[in-house]
Amino acid sequence: MFRPGMRAYIAPLVAGAVLTASAFLPWVVVGETSMRGVPDVAALWIAGLGALAAVLATLSLITRKNSRHPLLLIGLIALGIMFLSWRIMPKSITARALIRSQALAIVENRAVTDVPTVAVGSGIYLGLAAASALVGFGLTIVVKRASSAYVVADPNDDV
């Protein structure tokens, strides 16, 4: 299973497991409260893509078949979802907290309180790193190394 040519597939196996685990970690921290990614649809996609990447890497280790193209595609999709979550979720939750604060102020007939600070949690950063690792591994299909550097001698070289 761990033959010399296939040991590299341990990297996407670990990256897929880490990507799946990142869906269950805090994605957004609002004040003192952390919000996990799991109930969100994006986190469910990330968990599924991470599990799929781990399964593909395991199957590649067992069958000795190349699966870098599907891993590249999975990594690109996961990276896109994680990047959009990193950019959109904190702003969306800040807006939601402001609306909730204003609604409570109207109902309770008091002044509007400050909105707690919203920060990106560790789950998004870990997911970004794991998705980047999958993309990096998938891109190795593009790079082809020559076994040795050589120069072709032209027999018709008159110079």
Side-chain angles (χ1 to χ4, degrees):
M1 184 164 146
F2 299 111
R3 293 183 183 95
M6 302 306 284
R7 278 186 251 171
Y9 279 93
I10 294 174
L13 176 65
V14 170
V18 168
L19 188 63
T20 302
S22 73
F24 299 98
L25 293 174
W27 277 25
V28 178
V29 178
V30 181
E32 299 291 323
T33 307
S34 62
M35 298 173 60
R36 294 184 313 153
V38 166
D40 194 24
V41 174
L44 293 175
W45 271 97
I46 290 298
L49 288 170
L52 186 60
V55 166
L56 275 175
T58 304
L59 287 174
S60 292
L61 282 170
I62 293 170
T63 63
R64 295 188 49 102
K65 299 289 183 187
N66 186 359
S67 66
R68 290 178 192 227
H69 286 103
L71 286 171
L72 174 63
L73 184 63
I74 289 170
L76 286 172
I77 294 169
L79 187 64
I81 292 171
M82 292 307 297
F83 181 77
L84 288 175
S85 296
W86 173 57
R87 298 301 298 162
I88 293 173
M89 285 186 82
K91 292 177 185 176
S92 170
I93 295 200
T94 300
R96 198 181 321 167
L98 177 63
I99 291 170
R100 185 176 186 276
S101 173
Q102 290 171 345
L104 287 174
I106 290 171
V107 169
E108 295 173 356
N109 197 19
R110 60 175 172 79
V112 178
T113 59
D114 291 334
V115 178
T117 59
V118 177
V120 178
S122 61
I124 287 183
Y125 291 125
L126 192 63
L128 278 170
S132 298
L134 282 173
V135 169
F137 181 79
L139 283 176
T140 59
I141 196 74
V142 176
V143 179
K144 183 178 179 183
R145 287 189 266 162
S147 59
S148 63
Y150 62 92
V151 176
V152 176
D154 188 11
N156 299 325
D157 191 14
D158 295 334
V159 179

